[in-house]
Amino acid sequence: MSTIPVNEPLLGERELEYVSECVRTGWVSSAGRFIQEFEQKWAAYCGRKYGVAVCNGTAALQVAVAALDLKPGDEIIMPTFTIVSCALAVIYHGCVPVLVDSDPRTWCMDVYQVKAKITSKTGAIMPVHIYGHPVDMEPLLDLADEYGLAVIEDGAEAHGSEILFGRNTNSPEWRRCGSFGTVSCFSFYANKLITTGEGGMVLTDDSRLAEKTRNLRNLCFIPGRRFHHEEMGFNFRMTNMQAALGLAQVERIEEIVARKRWLDQEYSRRLKKIPGLQLQQEEPWSSRVCWMYGLVLNPETDMDARLLSQELKRRGIETRPFFLGMHEQPVFHRRGLFLEERYPVAEHLARNGLYLPSGLTLTEDQLVRVCDAVQEVLS
Ligand SMILES: Cc1ncc(COP(=O)(O)O)c(C=O)c1O
């Protein structure tokens, strides 16, 4: 019985054609036609004016934070339940991460906990759309407006997800994740809907921020004065070969999104019949595109995620644990951060949650095998 992997990228003829063009023509570095085309197409898909491609999603967060006018010591409010990249980007810039817990239904940051964390030092909010479900951006953006805060949106896991914006007005409209931040970040790692192997992008509508992000990604060279630098930058450039992969996929994003929606519906339909599981609840204002299909064990199962994962592994099914909250990370405790802080929802998710095989190559037979195995282990 072959193992069902958590993810496998689905690469096709177009990817091969574009990457071959890079190799044939010698345009393999960060110069070449695919970079700009990829930037423009992804920005347009997300409803933004500018895209700046970088070498991974962590780098995207780093340049996004660095591009904003934040001072050392400024606080950035973010979810505890996220990847370490978010907190690292804040700390590398000399800012201070301030955490909030998750909403127990969507597992995204509880936006109603944000206001209580705003102080005179708050400079930005960093919402992270978890596993494809959007953060409730409307009240969050109202808060950002009210307090004059920048928004660093992390859409790494939410390619194509949408929010019904203006839902209390007469003319609500669906808007894509990636369209909400002062700066919005994406990852194109191999398990993301659009992948460049490793890669990322920052989107914005602000030409000054786009220019600054572009400079930061490229060592802050000054046009016309080669090797003269007035700011500290990074080499976070994406290669033309990576962008070639990305462009080929953006060109078939609708197909990719449709496949993920199918997977989401099938998993939900089958798993909701199994007692003891909590699934990510989709809010009526959300149209999520599942990045990874997660589940959380309820206390009555007498099992935690680690045990379930081992049992599924024995049945040839790979899983991954959920994030461990930032407030439980030894690396941050050693820096004196988050000591004594407790976030019960994130702690429950971290111990009892895992995600199932969710890649674009997952077949219906495999999906059924996964659901049957979950049922067998829990019965
Ligand atoms: C929410 C989120 N943000 C940022 C990142 C970092 O992206 P990368 O792995 O491309 O550095 C990830 C990676 O999976 C992520 O899930």
Side-chain angles (χ1 to χ4, degrees):
M1 188 172 50
S2 60
T3 298
I4 305 177
V6 132
N7 178 72
E8 241 176 350
L10 185 62
L11 304 172
E13 284 304 313
R14 186 69 64 85
E15 282 85 340
L16 196 57
E17 183 193 323
Y18 287 178
V19 174
S20 303
E21 180 184 315
C22 302
V23 176
R24 236 186 9 258
T25 59
W27 288 103
V28 292
S29 77
S30 58
R33 79 174 180 106
F34 290 116
I35 309 221
Q36 269 191 13
E37 279 188 56
F38 179 45
E39 289 176 337
Q40 283 164 4
K41 283 250 163 63
W42 186 247
Y45 177 75
C46 297
R48 301 311 293 259
K49 285 194 187 148
Y50 308 102
V52 181
V54 292
C55 55
N56 57 60
T58 306
L61 287 164
Q62 253 182 282
V63 282
V65 171
L68 296 168
D69 299 317
L70 294 164
K71 299 179 301 299
D74 280 356
E75 294 171 357
I76 302 185
I77 301 175
M78 53 177 285
T80 187
F81 187 71
T82 185
I83 192 156
V84 71
S85 312
C86 299
L88 290 179
V90 171
I91 294 168
Y92 284 147
H93 194 65
C95 292
V96 180
V98 172
L99 306 178
V100 296
D101 206 351
S102 296
D103 173 321
R105 287 168 54 84
T106 65
W107 310 339
C108 291
M109 82 194 288
D110 181 347
V111 296
Y112 297 99
Q113 293 186 18
V114 171
K115 191 168 182 168
K117 298 276 177 144
I118 297 176
T119 70
S120 58
K121 288 187 171 170
T122 309
I125 312 175
M126 184 187 279
V128 185
H129 309 300
I130 296 289
Y131 304 146
H133 195 295
V135 173
D136 193 357
M137 290 304 294
E138 205 161 350
L140 198 74
L141 290 182
D142 285 347
L143 215 52
D145 257 4
E146 188 183 335
Y147 289 89
L149 306 174
V151 174
I152 305 153
E153 180 187 9
D154 184 343
E157 303 181 357
H159 300 195
S161 295
E162 296 179 9
I163 297 179
L164 190 63
F165 210 73
R167 59 189 189 250
N168 297 321
T169 69
N170 291 333
S171 49
E173 50 163 4
W174 288 100
R175 275 177 55 183
R176 285 219 167 101
C177 289
S179 69
F180 298 106
T182 317
V183 280
S184 299
C185 300
F186 284 93
S187 161
F188 303 117
Y189 181 62
N191 62 12
K192 300 300 188 296
L193 273 76
I194 300 290
T195 182
T196 57
E198 296 279 358
M201 203 181 290
V202 180
L203 304 181
T204 182
D205 292 331
D206 181 323
S207 58
R208 187 188 66 87
L209 280 177
E211 201 40 44
K212 195 159 174 200
T213 308
R214 242 175 224 127
N215 284 341
L216 283 165
R217 124 183 117 176
N218 189 25
L219 296 170
C220 290
F221 281 112
I222 294 177
R225 295 188 73 183
R226 199 108 184 122
F227 302 121
H228 178 99
H229 300 267
E230 294 189 1
E231 306 274 350
M232 297 210 298
F234 311 86
N235 175 359
F236 283 166
R237 300 180 298 251
M238 176 183 270
T239 70
N240 199 40
M241 291 181 292
Q242 289 167 298
L245 271 187
L247 181 66
Q249 290 171 49
V250 180
E251 288 176 354
R252 60 182 169 83
I253 178 77
E254 302 303 342
E255 189 191 313
I256 293 172
V257 163
R259 185 77 192 160
K260 286 284 194 177
R261 285 197 196 280
W262 165 82
L263 179 149
D264 189 357
Q265 277 164 16
E266 277 304 301
Y267 264 138
S268 299
R269 190 168 70 76
R270 290 166 192 277
L271 294 173
K272 73 181 177 208
K273 296 180 194 147
I274 303 178
L277 294 183
Q278 189 215 329
L279 308 176
Q280 192 178 34
Q281 296 298 303
E282 179 151 33
E283 296 292 352
W285 45 261
S286 144
S287 175
R288 74 169 177 218
V289 179
C290 170
W291 168 56
M292 289 289 164
Y293 199 96
L295 55 80
V296 178
L297 293 161
N298 287 336
E300 71 262 22
T301 58
D302 270 342
M303 185 175 273
D304 65 9
R306 193 191 298 236
L307 189 57
L308 175 60
S309 170
Q310 280 166 6
E311 287 298 324
L312 291 175
K313 192 170 182 195
R314 285 203 314 122
R315 291 163 175 79
I317 294 161
E318 262 191 8
T319 59
R320 291 280 185 281
F322 272 13
F323 296 124
L324 179 65
M326 296 304 102
H327 70 288
E328 298 199 273
Q329 299 288 351
V331 61
F332 298 136
H333 290 172
R334 265 187 247 123
R335 299 177 70 96
L337 284 167
F338 318 134
L339 297 170
E340 316 297 331
E341 292 185 29
R342 302 303 303 271
Y343 299 97
V345 179
E347 288 170 22
H348 175 70
L349 295 172
R351 286 160 192 53
N352 298 294
L354 55 70
Y355 58 77
L356 300 171
S358 308
L360 292 167
T361 60
L362 189 78
T363 65
E364 187 164 4
D365 284 352
Q366 289 177 318
L367 185 145
V368 172
R369 214 179 103 199
V370 173
C371 296
D372 288 350
V374 172
Q375 177 143 40
E376 186 184 290
V377 175
L378 291 181
S379 59

